[in-house]
Amino acid sequence: MGCHVAPQAVAIGTGQRPVVVALAGNPNVGKSSLFNALTGLRQRVGNWPGKTVERREGSLDLGGRTALLVDLPGSYSLESYTLEESVTRQFLVEERPDVIVDVVDALHLERNLYLTSQLLELGIPTFVALTMGDMARALGVEIDVDALARRLGVPVVPVVAATGEGLDVLRRTLESAVAGGVAAPSPPVYPDSTLEALVASLLREIPCDHPVAGRRLALGFIQQDPGTIRDLEAVLPEAERERLRRAVEAAAPDGPVRVADARYAWVAAVVREALRERVAGRPLRGTPARLADRVDLVVTHPVVGPPLTAATLAAGIWSAFQIAAPLQEWLDGLFAWLSVSVAGALTGRVAPWTLALLTDGVLAGVATVALFAPLIAAFFLFLGLLEDSGYFARAAFVLDRLLSRFGLHGKAGIGLFIGYGCNVPAVMAARTASSRTARLVSVLVSPLVICSARLVVIGFMAGVFFPGSGAAWVMAGLYAVGLVLVLSVAWLLSRTLLRGDEEPFLIELPPYRMPRLRNVAVYAWQQTAHFLQRAVTVIAPMTAVVWAIAYFPSGSVESSFAAWLGHLLEPLGRPLGFDWRMIVSLFPGFLAKEASLPTLAVLYAAGADQGLGAALRAALTVPQALSYLVFYTFYTPCLATAVTIRQEIGSTRWTLVSVGYSLLLAGGLAWVAHWGALQLWAA
């Protein structure tokens, strides 16, 4: 038994399997820009199996061979303590890509090379793509690329994805490796003789048939890395692992710290040899940084920062609606014309219910999905601009100060703010949160944010029953209740059901830069296409199902299955002041929140001469109207939001929890509102 891994030339992507190239690196090193530049629009987006972390893949032509480029989550190390680190490590260790392209930021060599030291231990052919060189030169910093390559033992290619500088060289380097094979890199030898002696002794004990290089296993075992412990469980009996653990503790009781210190000592030696500073360039050095520091003093100020962030996000939401509105109107008109055309072509040729199913069911469902697309694209254009400019991290930092005491991270706060425009992109934006529990909390409270679609019904009902300034007070009160609910439910979830991997909010503030419009456009397109791809298969059929419930068996909603269900549920609605018509009007609201208003018009004003407002005032009391407003505002997320929740968290159980708890919460609040209004009006 024992293990020793020596560098050797290996063939890349042999057989029918395509070449797999993994793109690894720290967050904010330009990895996404490089991925976009190399793959163009030949990309697809999804989630890693069983995970809520986004997975991006794209195709890359390497000398006539098609390679699969996999963009791994940004990670600072391969210790599997965070979800991103776990996903990155699992892919590199278990799926063993043919090549690793390690993206390293020239401005932050010391921090980036810590991950590089671990990648070099995997025994996988590795290349370094050195980014941010243009920014480093502007600050008077030069990297000796040859010295860096010599110390690392792998090719180093400077690249600037925004301008295309170095991309051809990187492609040719990969093509050469694919065509002729390449030697796996030699793992770093660390300047700690005690540690190296301990590693050597462990290499004699660890079986060689494991896919991870033995040195990496030995160092991971000394660090007590959870992923390495799981790897060794498959090849070493428990008694052997325990014996080795005691030996490691005796030789290096501070194992995790010792390994980290040894890595950083090695990194420091590499940086000393590779880093050059131009004395003549020193006047340039710090000028952009000082300007950025002055801006950050304002942007991240504890008093000025929050309202500035709120104003920025509000302006972005308003802009997204302005951008999306013309296209939504055009699509709405297109589907209206299509519905009329289908009706004209098929009237008298098919049964009435078939025609109604096609126009009011299937086409309406497709239209629902299509009308969301421009809004989602506009929202993610805005998010992409925030992220690519460097402002996203600042906004998250500011919001975290306010939200952390309620169990929400700053990144989640940005998504929740977007929810005031539309809950769908708010749920999708939760993927930026730093842990699974943070994502879940953010996703579960997102539907409590009052989206713009609900304003159609809220504004109309408040104006009818609380005219004048009363309507404004009611609407302001609902928004205040919504904010309190978001914070309260998040606080409760983070301390009960989703208590667990709480961690301090750590975020790197990247340098400010001009957004790369191509990257932002690709990002928005990917998110929109991902939503459409999954949602169209669920939302459109579900719309047809709900339509059928409201149509059959008589062709009239008043005597449909929905009406029968409304009468059945009427006893449950009675404590809230609901009659069966109020209950039935909520069903279409599950498809699209604003759809409840035309349903109320059908149920209360069909055949009547007066308008809907007068009909509702004649049929409902003020306590009933207030109860309905409260319930409608906070009951289940719409179908598009529910589908997106299922996509993002990958769990039907949690999706049902989201729908169920909001329904119960809305019922409880509506009961309180109805009871309180009865007491007030009785007095």
Side-chain angles (χ1 to χ4, degrees):
M1 193 165 68
C3 187
H4 177 71
V5 178
Q8 54 184 332
V10 295
I12 294 178
T14 56
Q16 298 301 313
R17 184 174 73 89
V19 177
V20 178
V21 180
L23 207 58
N26 288 187
N28 301 312
V29 295
K31 190 160 55 67
S32 295
S33 297
L34 182 59
F35 177 81
N36 290 335
L38 289 173
T39 61
L41 292 176
R42 296 165 296 175
Q43 305 175 6
R44 57 181 177 273
V45 179
N47 283 345
W48 292 84
K51 304 290 191 297
T52 56
V53 177
E54 186 176 273
R55 176 175 183 146
R56 295 205 304 165
E57 297 178 350
S59 59
L60 175 66
D61 181 71
L62 295 178
R65 293 192 62 180
T66 299
L68 177 68
L69 187 62
V70 181
D71 186 12
L72 297 174
S75 304
Y76 291 105
S77 75
L78 293 185
E79 283 94 42
S80 47
Y81 293 109
T82 69
L83 186 56
E84 286 76 11
E85 290 172 355
S86 178
V87 166
T88 297
R89 184 191 181 283
Q90 183 177 2
F91 180 80
L92 293 174
V93 170
E94 296 182 9
E95 299 194 33
R96 300 291 290 180
D98 298 295
V99 180
I100 298 173
V101 175
D102 178 23
V103 185
V104 172
D105 176 3
L107 281 171
H108 303 98
L109 266 187
E110 192 155 3
R111 186 184 64 221
N112 282 220
L113 290 180
Y114 186 89
L115 175 64
T116 303
S117 71
Q118 295 177 304
L119 296 176
L120 295 177
E121 295 166 0
L122 295 176
I124 299 173
T126 301
F127 303 94
V128 169
L130 189 67
T131 62
M132 311 292 183
D134 52 341
M135 297 180 68
R137 287 191 295 272
L139 294 174
V141 175
E142 287 282 358
I143 306 296
D144 187 334
V145 175
D146 292 334
L148 182 60
R150 186 169 57 251
R151 283 303 307 260
L152 297 179
V154 299
V156 177
V157 181
V159 296
V160 180
T163 63
E165 178 185 334
L167 292 184
D168 287 340
V169 178
L170 180 60
R171 281 196 185 93
R172 287 197 299 270
T173 304
L174 291 172
E175 287 173 6
S176 177
V178 169
V182 65
S186 298
V189 177
Y190 298 120
D192 185 329
S193 57
T194 302
L195 177 65
E196 288 296 331
L198 182 56
V199 169
S201 68
L202 287 174
L203 286 176
R204 293 190 291 270
E205 303 281 353
I206 294 173
C208 237
D209 57 353
H210 198 273
V212 180
R215 183 177 175 82
R216 166 66 185 152
L217 270 178
L219 287 163
F221 188 73
I222 296 170
Q223 284 185 292
Q224 291 298 294
D225 168 50
T228 303
I229 301 301
R230 287 193 297 271
D231 290 337
L232 287 174
E233 287 175 356
V235 295
L236 278 179
E238 184 177 354
E240 282 293 303
R241 294 198 310 274
E242 181 60 24
R243 180 180 65 80
L244 290 179
R245 186 188 64 78
R246 289 196 298 269
V248 167
E249 282 190 354
D254 57 345
V257 174
R258 194 173 199 116
V259 173
D261 286 346
R263 291 190 196 280
Y264 277 118
W266 175 84
V267 167
V270 174
V271 171
R272 278 196 303 272
E273 187 166 337
L275 188 63
R276 300 285 183 268
E277 293 191 16
R278 298 199 316 264
V279 176
R282 197 168 296 280
L284 290 175
R285 180 176 172 81
T287 302
R290 284 199 300 270
L291 177 59
D293 289 342
R294 287 198 293 269
V295 172
D296 280 341
L297 285 176
V298 177
V299 170
T300 63
H301 192 276
V303 176
V304 179
L308 181 61
T309 299
T312 301
L313 295 176
I317 293 172
W318 179 84
S319 300
F321 273 98
Q322 297 305 306
I323 293 170
L327 188 53
Q328 285 183 304
E329 290 178 9
W330 180 82
L331 286 171
D332 195 26
L334 174 65
F335 278 100
W337 170 83
L338 189 58
S339 180
V340 171
S341 300
V342 169
L346 297 181
T347 299
R349 299 182 180 181
V350 298
W353 71 267
T354 305
L355 180 59
L357 173 63
L358 287 173
T359 56
D360 300 332
V362 176
L363 280 177
V366 174
T368 299
V369 176
L371 290 176
F372 266 106
L375 193 57
I376 290 174
F379 272 121
F380 279 100
L381 278 172
F382 169 59
L383 273 184
L385 289 171
L386 284 186
E387 191 159 7
D388 216 42
S389 66
Y391 185 76
F392 185 94
R394 275 89 179 168
F397 173 74
V398 169
L399 291 175
D400 185 71
R401 287 174 174 165
L402 302 175
L403 300 177
S404 58
R405 66 193 67 180
F406 298 100
L408 288 167
H409 278 213
K411 291 181 180 179
I414 295 176
L416 292 175
F417 204 103
I418 287 172
Y420 285 108
C422 179
N423 290 162
V424 173
V427 172
M428 296 175 71
R431 65 182 58 171
T432 60
S434 55
S435 69
R436 175 168 172 77
T437 54
R439 289 182 184 91
L440 272 173
V441 171
S442 179
V443 165
L444 291 174
V445 301
S446 289
L448 296 176
V449 178
I450 302 173
C451 66
S452 60
R454 293 178 233 188
L455 286 178
V456 175
V457 178
I458 294 172
F460 180 84
M461 292 282 289
V464 168
F465 287 94
F466 306 94
S469 61
W473 282 107
V474 168
M475 293 177 69
L478 288 173
Y479 272 92
V481 170
L483 179 60
V484 170
L485 287 178
V486 167
L487 299 179
S488 301
V489 172
W491 181 87
L492 186 63
L493 287 172
S494 64
R495 283 157 179 78
T496 54
L497 293 176
L498 296 177
R499 190 173 186 172
D501 57 344
E502 269 189 47
E503 54 188 40
F505 181 69
L506 301 174
I507 190 168
E508 177 185 350
L509 298 183
Y512 289 105
R513 54 179 175 247
M514 285 297 295
R516 301 169 180 87
L517 296 182
R518 183 176 182 276
N519 289 348
V520 173
V522 169
Y523 171 69
W525 162 250
Q526 287 174 342
Q527 304 305 325
T528 307
H530 182 46
F531 167 77
L532 291 175
Q533 178 185 0
R534 301 287 298 274
V536 74
T537 60
V538 178
I539 295 177
M542 281 292 291
T543 304
V545 169
V546 175
W547 169 87
I549 292 173
Y551 182 88
F552 291 109
S554 64
S556 170
V557 67
E558 293 94 333
S559 54
S560 64
F561 290 125
W564 171 82
L565 188 58
H567 283 292
L568 184 67
L569 296 175
E570 194 168 18
L572 294 177
R574 197 168 293 128
L576 312 181
F578 291 2
D579 63 17
W580 72 270
R581 292 172 294 184
M582 298 168 73
I583 294 172
V584 170
S585 71
L586 296 168
F587 295 152
F590 177 61
L591 294 178
K593 290 297 183 180
E594 64 271 24
S596 290
L597 195 62
T599 306
L600 285 170
V602 170
L603 294 172
Y604 282 97
D609 293 331
Q610 76 265 39
L612 177 59
L616 288 176
R617 278 194 299 269
L620 304 178
T621 64
V622 170
Q624 281 180 299
L626 185 62
S627 176
Y628 182 85
L629 266 176
V630 171
F631 188 89
Y632 167 83
T633 302
F634 300 112
Y635 85 114
T636 64
C638 70
L639 177 59
T641 303
V643 170
T644 307
I645 289 173
R646 176 63 181 82
Q647 292 175 7
E648 292 299 310
I649 63 179
S651 169
T652 301
R653 180 171 64 91
W654 280 112
T655 304
L656 293 176
V657 167
S658 174
V659 173
Y661 97 82
S662 57
L663 194 61
L664 293 174
L665 186 61
L669 290 171
W671 180 84
V672 171
H674 185 248
W675 179 85
L678 283 176
Q679 307 310 306
L680 183 62
W681 261 258

